[in-house]
Amino acid sequence: MEKDFIIRTKNVDFYYGAFRALSDITMDFEKNKVTALIGPSGCGKSTLLRLLNRMNDLIDGTRVEGEILFEGRNIYAPDVDPVEIRQRIGMVFQKPNPFPKSIYNNITYAPKLAGIRESGEIEALVEESLKQAVLWDEVKDILTKSAMTLSGGQQQRLCIARALAMKPDVILMDEPTSALDPISTAKIEELIDTLKKHYTIIIVTHNMQQAARISEYTGFFYLGKVIEFNVTEKIFTNPDVKQTEDYITGRFG
Amino acid sequence: MSAMKIRKNILTLHAKEIAIRNLFGFFAFLSVLLLGLILLFLFREGLPLFKKISLADFLFGTAWYPTYEPPEYGIWPLIVGSLAVTFFASLIAVPLGLLSAVYIAEIAPTRIKEILKSIIELLAGLPSVVLGFFGMVIVGPWLQETFDLPTGLNIMNASVMLAIMAIPTISSLSEDALYAVPREFKEASYALGATKYETIIRVIIPAALSGVSTAVILGMARAIGETMVVLMVAGGAAAIPEGIFDAVRPMTASIAAEMGEAPFRSGHYHALFATGIVLFVITLAFNLIADYISNRFRETGSGTL
Ligand SMILES: Nc1ncnc2c1ncn2[C@@H]1O[C@H](COP(=O)(O)OP(=O)(O)OP(=O)(O)O)[C@@H](O)[C@H]1O
Ligand SMILES: [Mg+2]
C-alpha cells in the first residue's frame, strides 16, 4: 500500500543568523502516525519542530533553505500565509502555557479567531476537545475558573485540548511531558495513543522509553543532522548507525 | 592560614554585614520619618481651620473668598477645577500613552523603538515651567483666536499641557507591563493561528492589564498633583466651570499662588494647608487604587508545576 506522507522536508537547512542549526534535513512524516524526534540537547529537534508550523518566523534573523511540503504545498512559498499553516498544524510546548484566562476561554480562543460564533457549536467544541484530552471529568464543573489554578499536568492537557479545538491535521509536541510527574506523563502518553487515529503527531522527547512506547517512527538527530530515521522498532532494536545505538543505550553524551 | 586567623576573618565579615544592614535600615527609616514629619506638619497647620468652619462647608462650599471680610473658604470650585483638568487630560493622555506603549513594546522596529523611547523620555524631563510657558504663549493665544474666547487660559489649555506631562508616565509604565507578559503566552497565541494584532488585543493587553491600569492611575495622579502648569495656563478663576473653555483654579494652583500672601496662621493659611490635606488624600487614594489593582489582578505565573 502506498504510504500517505502529510509533511515532507527536502534538503532543509536552517540558520539562526550565521549559525547553521539544521543541515540537509530530508524526512517524510506519515499521516496518522506518531513520529518521535530524539537526540542530545542542542541538536536541533525543537528547531525542526518549529520550522514545520513556521514558528521560527517569529525569531529575527532566521533563514530557511530547501522545501517543507505540507500536503504537497511548500509552506515557505511566498504566497503562503503562516497563520493558515499554524491553524492546521497545532503545537504543544514543553512548558504548559495556558493563557491567564478561564479554562473555557482557553479552549475557545482559536475557534473564535477562526470565526466560529454560534454558541451551541462553541460549547460542543469545548466539551469535545476536553474529552479528547481526557480532562473533561476533572474540569467540567470549573470551566469558568482560571486555567492558572490547574496542576501542571492538567494545564498541559488543557494546552492539548486547546490545540485540538482548532481541529488541526498535525500536532507538534515539544517534550510535552518533561515537566510532568509520572502519572500525568502516563495520561498524556495514553492520550497520544488515542489521538493518532485522527491526527498526525510529531513529538520531541528525551525519554527513550517514551519514544519506544508511543511512536511508529523515530528520527535520531545529532549536531543539526538526521543520523538515522526509521521505524521505531528498528531504531531501538537494531539501528543501522553506531551513533544511534550508542545514544539509545546511553553510552553517548 | 591558622584557624585563629580564619575565625577573625569570619568575624570581621560578619561585623561588616551587620554594619551594612544597619546603614540601609537607617536610610529606609529616615525616608519614612521624613514623610511622617511632613504629614504631621500638614495636619497640624491644616486642621485648625475646622474650628472655624465645618468639613462639609469647606469641601462643598462654592465660594472661595479667603481674603474677604468675612472670608469664605469653600474649595468646591477648586476641587472641580482639579478634577476637570485631570479628567480631560486623562481623556487625551490615556489613549495616546497606551497606543504609544503598545506600538513601542510590540510593533515598532528596533530603531524606531529607540527613537520613540528617547523622545518620550525627553518629554518626561521637560520642566513643567517650560511647558506652562509654551501653553501661555503659544497655545493660549491660539485657542483664544481660533475659538473667539475671552481667554485662552482655560481647562482645555491646561488639560492638553497636563496630558503632555502624563503621557510619559502612562506610556513607559504600560510599556514595562507589556514587556513583562511572558513570551510563552505570545507563542501559544501564534501557534493557535492568531495574527499579531489578535495576539496583542486578546492576549498581551489582557495579561498586562493590571500593570496598565496602574500606569493610567499613576499618570492621573501625576496630573492632579501638577502645580506649575495649571498655575500658568488654567486661568485662575475660582468658580465652578460650565464648559471646557472656562478658566479654573485647581487646588495646587490656589495653594501655590496664595501661600505667599496668606498671613502666618491666619484662616487663609490654615485653609490652604487643609486644601493640601485634601490633595494628599486624593493622591493617596489614587495610589491605593493602583496598588489594589496591581495586586488583585496579578496573574499567577504560567509554570505552577
Ligand atoms: N533563538 C535562537 N537563536 C539562536 N540560536 C538558537 C536559537 N534557538 C536555538 N538555537 C541554537 O540552535 C541549536 C538547536 O537548538 P534547539 O533548541 O533546536 O535544540 P534541541 O534539540 O531542541 O535541544 P533541547 O533538547 O535542549 O531542547 C542550538 O545550538 C541552539 O543554541
Ligand atoms: Mg528543544
Side-chain angles (χ1 to χ4, degrees), chain B:
Chain B
M1 230 192 291
S2 71
M4 272 281 282
K5 226 173 170 186
I6 293 172
R7 248 181 86 87
K8 212 178 129 213
N9 274 350
I10 289 173
L11 270 178
T12 46
L13 212 80
H14 201 60
K16 239 192 208 161
E17 235 172 71
I18 290 176
I20 289 172
R21 191 166 47 199
N22 287 341
L23 194 71
F24 279 106
F26 171 74
F27 283 114
F29 178 73
L30 193 68
S31 49
V32 172
L33 187 77
L34 279 174
L35 183 69
L37 283 175
I38 291 171
L39 274 183
L40 195 73
F41 175 72
L42 190 65
F43 278 87
R44 197 190 64 185
E45 302 300 309
L47 290 181
L49 178 76
F50 300 112
K51 283 185 215 140
K52 295 199 177 87
I53 71 169
S54 73
L55 181 64
D57 284 344
F58 173 64
L59 289 178
F60 301 114
T62 55
W64 175 254
Y65 297 124
T67 54
Y68 280 30
E69 201 51 54
E72 289 194 63
Y73 300 121
I75 62 163
W76 187 240
L78 313 187
I79 294 179
V80 173
S82 282
L83 294 181
V85 292
T86 304
F87 175 76
F88 288 106
S90 312
L91 227 50
I92 303 168
V94 170
L96 287 182
L98 288 186
L99 288 176
S100 73
V102 169
Y103 183 72
I104 291 172
E106 297 297 333
I107 301 170
T110 328
R111 269 204 49 219
I112 297 182
K113 180 187 302 195
E114 292 310 317
I115 296 172
L116 274 178
K117 280 179 81 160
S118 4
I119 292 177
I120 287 179
E121 263 162 40
L122 214 68
L123 216 56
L126 213 59
S128 55
V129 68
V130 171
L131 215 64
F133 196 62
F134 175 72
M136 227 169 168
V137 176
I138 311 274
V139 180
W142 180 80
L143 278 177
Q144 189 171 8
E145 251 170 57
T146 315
F147 297 97
D148 194 21
L149 306 167
T151 170
L153 305 182
N154 51 31
I155 295 183
M156 186 65 190
N157 194 338
S159 301
V160 172
M161 294 303 126
L162 286 181
I164 294 176
M165 299 202 65
I167 285 172
T169 308
I170 296 177
S171 175
S172 55
L173 290 179
S174 305
E175 196 192 310
D176 292 345
L178 293 170
Y179 272 131
V181 173
R183 218 176 60 131
E184 292 99 75
F185 294 165
K186 300 178 200 175
E187 291 213 316
S189 174
Y190 286 121
L192 288 166
T195 62
K196 183 164 198 156
Y197 293 92
E198 288 164 341
T199 302
I200 290 174
I201 290 168
R202 288 163 189 261
V203 174
I204 300 178
I205 293 178
L209 205 58
S210 77
V212 167
S213 350
T214 310
V216 167
I217 291 169
L218 291 180
M220 288 169 73
R222 175 136 169 66
I224 208 167
E226 167 55 30
T227 306
M228 187 51 76
V229 162
V230 290
L231 185 62
M232 292 170 82
V233 303
I240 293 177
E242 276 157 9
I244 56 165
F245 291 120
D246 281 1
V248 287
R249 190 181 188 85
M251 290 182 275
T252 48
S254 203
I255 297 172
E258 297 164 32
M259 195 47 106
E261 51 204 56
F264 185 61
R265 300 240 159 113
S266 63
H268 189 187
Y269 173 94
H270 291 308
L272 290 177
F273 272 96
T275 310
I277 296 175
V278 173
L279 202 55
F280 169 76
V281 170
I282 293 177
T283 337
L284 185 71
F286 272 70
N287 279 291
L288 289 180
I289 294 170
D291 222 43
Y292 173 77
I293 291 176
S294 71
N295 286 327
R296 173 74 178 69
F297 299 113
R298 202 193 306 282
E299 303 296 352
T300 42
S302 65
T304 43
L305 295 174

